[in-house]
Amino acid sequence: MKELSKALLVSLWFMFLTFPILVIRVNTVENTVEWRWRNMLMVGAAAFALHIVWGRMLARGQRRQTGAGRKTPGGIAPGHRLSRFRRFGPAGILLLTAGLAALPFFSSLYQVNILITAMIYIMLGLGLNIVVGLAGLLNLGYVAFYAVGAYSYALLHLHYGLNFWLALPLGASLAALAGIALGYPVLRLRGDYLAIVTLAFGEIIRLVLENWSGFSFGPSGIADIPRPPLFGISMSLEASTVFFYFLMLLMVTLTVFVVTRLQHSRIGRAWVALREDEIACQAMGIDTTRIKLAAFALGATWAGLGGVLFASRTTFINPACFTIWESMLILCIVVLGGMGSIIGVVVGALFLILLPEYLRAFSEYRVLLFGLLLVLMMIFRPGGLLPDRRRTYHFKGETG
Amino acid sequence: MDAPYFLELFLGGLTRGSIYALIALGYTMVYGIIELINFAHGEIYMIGAFTALIAASVLNMMGVNEAAVILLAVSLAVVYACAYGFTVEKIAYKPLRRAPRLSALISAIGMSLFLQNYVLLAQTSDYLPFPSLIPDFAFWEPYAHIIGSTEMVILATTAVIMVLLTFLIRFTRVGKAMRATAQDKTMAALVGVDVNQVISVTFIVGSATAAVGGVLIASHIGQINFYIGFLAGIKAFVAAVLGGIGSIPGAVLGGLVLGCAESVFAGTVSSDYEDVFAFVFLVLVLIFRPSGLLGRPETKKA
């Protein structure tokens, strides 16, 4: 009963709160007011229901943190859980690969295109995952490196006729250099300052691209960027899309492979140590300057690759492709999937890119839901959908 | 390059700077207490401006007299901004108070995205013309060529709010509790300060000043849309950092310095790169003087 009356209060509060923005809409030109009372009822009902769910979920989360945290969950030692994916086995991986490879021959061009987009975001997500997920450095200007990659291909092609295959490594290295150039001065900054500076950096790059017309052709952008060629064979639009699909499949596989190896390498473990406690990490003799720079540079490398691929795929770029929303979207992918978890990021990217494609009706609400998602994930499931499993070692035998 | 031109730039900069200062206060107060960059703060300012616009239009259409419209619109804007600030804290930050800082920051970013798109969807993505709420005073006529009455009102309001805020923090019971909480939350709780309440009050006061800033600048510039909070929020953050985050006089000083620097840059070098200038300014301040003009250098806690 007490809970119900509280929920009623909350619902009244939200009806009051959303009243001017959600109910009234003024037309200042014709001097008319539109009253949308229905919205008010909807907000009231939603707030009432959500308050009850919210309270229950918060209580459950707290119980989990305090009570269940001590004993080993599910009776499986955490170390054994790691091997669960391995058990999936070569057969499963082979089947998955075969399925993905056969896909463009069964489905429409539209589907293939959506998957290509999703795969570009998988690459970007995995790249950002190095910086945010592993090293714990919140980078809100990730899109800047993506722009560096895209513009370096577009401009080098335009002025020097550079080939796609040469632009790929070159764009990646330029992005990596940009990563170091950003990383070097901001190394000493703490987490939240770092976030703001990277955000500012991303905006600086975009504003410069927009205003420096002599260099980047301003808001009108660059058109007619060639698609990736294959030994000079001329391809129809359809064939080149399928070719691009396979190229992306290859690139994503490569990314997953490299990132996995990185994660379990010496530097990957150093990143995790940095994320958990910078001072302890330094005390262990890790050169934090070097590994931070490495994280920035490697993260940016993937953004650069993604940028070159993006430019060659859309054949047209302008500064509007590289707004802060892109950075936020990629951040959402990493957060939703699970920071530091590779499989999580892949699933997160598929989820966030494919779902809005198929649910066109919700496309208006996309960014709204992304924002909500970030808040809810942080409160109820900070580890993401598929959290990273910490590598742990277990000693069997006498305890205590 | 003559003197009147520079005077004009300087006064324009002061006006702009006082708005930054009003918003920066919210950042700095919240940061001082819970060490969180409240990304959604710019959105609170935007919502304040929207509420004032809606209230003023509705009241105008009902034929309420002009002075009452101004008073009601401003007070509604403040009330609603406070309500939003309070609710945002309860939903997005309170459950994360013991979580890692990165989580709270991401939650704040999410809240900011949410509020922006909430206004976008519920209202419109177009720029709305904002009525000039501040009339041209007749007695100010002789000086209007130097500084308009809107600018004058902005400067005066900012000054009054600063004095009130200083009074609140220095001499009242709540202010004392705020300072205690900023120093040490646990200790403050032990001596009987209701920390949750203090945090709520901080958010409310910060939101109120942001709303005042929102109404003032909107009636100065004459148009608003859902996105104004982003840029204003970042610039106010630059101001807060420049002054030394956590320091209230610092926020004011930072706002004024940033406003003037920006105005002079835009007037003499290039107005295309005005925003770039502010961002570069931020990066340089953070690299060379991260504790700001008035802030104390930070000691790292183990």
Side-chain angles (χ1 to χ4, degrees), chain A residues 13-29 31-33 35-36 54 58 62 65 132 136-138 140 185-186 188-197 199-201 203-204 206-208 211-213 278-279 282 324-325 328 331-332 335 339 364-365 367-372 374-375 378-379 382, chain B residues 31 35-37 39 47 50-51 53-54 57-58 61 79-80 83-84 86-87 90-93 95-96 98-99 101-111 113-124 128-129 131 226-227 230-231 234 237 241 245 272-273 275-276 279-280 282-283 286-288 290 298 300-302:
Chain A
W13 171 252
F14 273 95
M15 274 150 81
F16 161 74
L17 201 62
T18 52
F19 176 69
I21 305 275
L22 213 54
V23 175
I24 310 171
R25 174 147 58 187
V26 287
N27 188 330
T28 38
V29 183
N31 271 340
T32 50
V33 186
W35 299 87
R36 299 169 291 178
W54 182 269
L58 268 188
Q62 254 151 24
Q65 261 172 17
V132 177
L137 305 165
L138 186 54
L140 297 179
V186 301
R188 286 179 303 156
L189 299 179
R190 275 196 335 251
D192 29 15
Y193 280 5
L194 185 78
I196 291 275
V197 170
L199 182 106
F201 178 76
E203 284 294 284
I204 290 173
R206 188 181 62 81
L207 287 168
V208 167
N211 287 314
W212 191 5
S213 303
E278 188 167 345
I279 294 169
Q282 262 174 331
I324 178 131
W325 302 114
M328 295 294 176
L331 181 69
C332 270
V335 168
M339 286 192 262
E364 274 178 66
Y365 298 95
V367 187
L368 185 87
L369 293 177
F370 283 173
L372 203 61
L374 282 178
V375 178
M378 282 301 120
I379 294 174
Chain B
Y31 195 91
E35 301 207 327
L36 166 78
I37 298 176
F39 255 93
I47 285 176
F50 257 93
T51 310
L53 169 72
I54 291 168
S57 317
V58 171
M61 275 171 229
V79 165
Y80 269 98
Y84 272 93
F86 172 80
T87 315
K90 284 277 176 276
I91 292 177
Y93 307 144
L96 291 170
R98 275 189 228 108
R101 265 162 126 183
L102 196 63
S103 307
L105 195 60
I106 291 176
S107 176
I109 294 169
M111 208 63 218
L113 285 183
F114 178 81
L115 287 177
Q116 260 177 32
N117 281 275
Y118 156 68
V119 174
L120 165 72
L121 292 170
Q123 295 288 323
T124 168
L128 291 175
F226 72 98
Y227 200 58
F230 175 73
L231 204 59
I234 299 236
F237 180 79
V241 171
I245 200 149
D272 280 348
Y273 288 98
D275 296 340
V276 175
F279 292 137
V280 172
L282 169 71
V283 176
L286 280 179
I287 292 167
F288 292 109
E298 193 189 344
K300 248 184 200 169
K301 280 184 207 156

Side-chain angles (χ1 to χ4, degrees), chain A residues 218-240:
Chain A
S220 53
I222 302 172
D224 290 329
I225 304 164
R227 293 195 169 77
L230 177 67
F231 306 121
I233 306 168
S234 67
M235 285 183 285
S236 66
L237 182 63
E238 196 164 331
S240 80

